[in-house]
Amino acid sequence: MTVSVLLADDHGMFRSGVRAVLATQPDLECVAEVGDGHEAVAESNRLRPDVALIDVRMPRLDGLAATRAILSGPGNRTRVLVLTTYDSDEYVYRALDAGASGFLLKSLPPEELLAAIRIAARGDALIDPSVTRRLVARFAATCAPTPTAPGLDRLTPREREVLVLIADARSNAEVAAALGVGEETVKTHVSRVLSKLGLRDRVHAVVYAYRHGVASPGRGMPDPPSP
């Protein structure tokens, strides 16, 4: 299946470069490229691409506002990857709060950008590894938990353990090792956690966990399973 991609950036040379890279991949297609946030929203609503690559700083409407507008549309299943040259915690936080599925630096090698698009298209989420754990630490320090956690009572005890580990920025392999189960089992648990909580992807599970007090600074990982 071909993944449709919308590219929004106000630098024509950057757009041309990314489009040329996409053109080398038989499973990826750039269906539109635009130069500002308003055009990004309009084209996303018209084309409903699988993935939108959106720059943070654009004229008329910045990338974060455009992301929020795109993802607030009824029935819109587009996954947004926010691209920027700025390695800033504030940009990461605002991008995720707007609903983005990933935050990537423009310095990312082409092959990693292509991998990120495919990851987002299949429903996973990612942040540039250089900022992932710092983001979690920042959330832990600044996020005041809300008194209620919608959907949390629907999780099994094991699913809650998985949610805590996701909030600690653990990979599937790390979660599997901590719980003494296989990676396929972890993938099933993660899928069920996201479905039951109505979350777009695992990065937003991090947001949920800290916002609702499921994870907190110093709580650490669940105890290993009994033999």
Side-chain angles (χ1 to χ4, degrees):
M1 184 179 67
T2 301
V3 175
S4 57
V5 181
L6 180 147
L7 175 59
D9 193 287
D10 60 331
H11 291 93
M13 187 173 295
F14 178 79
R15 295 200 309 270
S16 296
V18 173
R19 185 161 197 161
V21 171
L22 294 176
T24 67
Q25 307 299 305
D27 61 326
L28 302 177
E29 179 186 8
C30 183
V31 294
E33 58 174 274
V34 298
D36 67 54
H38 280 302
E39 291 178 339
V41 175
E43 287 298 275
S44 179
N45 289 338
R46 183 175 73 87
L47 297 170
R48 298 300 176 101
D50 298 311
V51 178
L53 301 178
I54 297 184
D55 188 24
V56 167
R57 291 191 173 183
M58 291 190 293
R60 298 213 300 162
L61 187 69
D62 69 54
L64 300 177
T67 295
R68 193 178 299 277
I70 289 169
L71 298 179
S72 65
N76 193 323
R77 306 299 297 173
T78 297
R79 303 281 175 168
V80 174
L81 296 178
V82 173
L83 294 168
T84 183
T85 56
Y86 306 97
D87 183 6
S88 164
D89 288 345
E90 184 60 28
Y91 282 133
V92 176
Y93 176 82
R94 291 173 60 199
L96 296 181
D97 193 54
S101 292
F103 178 94
L104 302 170
L105 301 180
K106 286 186 176 180
S107 57
L108 202 68
E111 61 273 15
E112 292 185 27
L113 175 61
L114 294 172
I117 292 171
R118 295 184 176 105
I119 289 170
R122 67 174 180 250
D124 291 331
L126 68 163
I127 310 173
D128 189 280
S130 67
V131 297
T132 300
R133 292 193 184 276
R134 193 172 71 238
L135 169 69
V136 172
R138 187 171 187 267
F139 253 123
T142 64
C143 190
T146 59
T148 59
L152 186 61
D153 58 350
R154 300 177 60 194
L155 300 186
T156 66
R158 176 48 57 91
E159 289 165 353
R160 288 190 63 149
E161 288 180 314
V162 170
L163 177 58
V164 170
L165 289 166
I166 292 174
D168 195 41
R170 303 289 171 170
S171 67
N172 284 346
E174 291 171 324
V175 174
L179 299 180
V181 299
E183 285 192 53
E184 288 302 317
T185 299
V186 172
K187 290 179 181 178
T188 298
H189 285 315
V190 171
S191 178
R192 289 174 178 169
V193 167
L194 298 179
S195 177
K196 289 180 179 181
L197 298 180
L199 301 172
R200 295 180 72 88
D201 45 52
R202 65 190 296 141
V203 167
H204 293 98
V206 175
V207 177
Y208 175 98
Y210 282 104
R211 182 167 288 162
H212 298 295
V214 178
S216 61
R219 175 174 293 186
M221 298 168 60
D223 293 331
S226 300

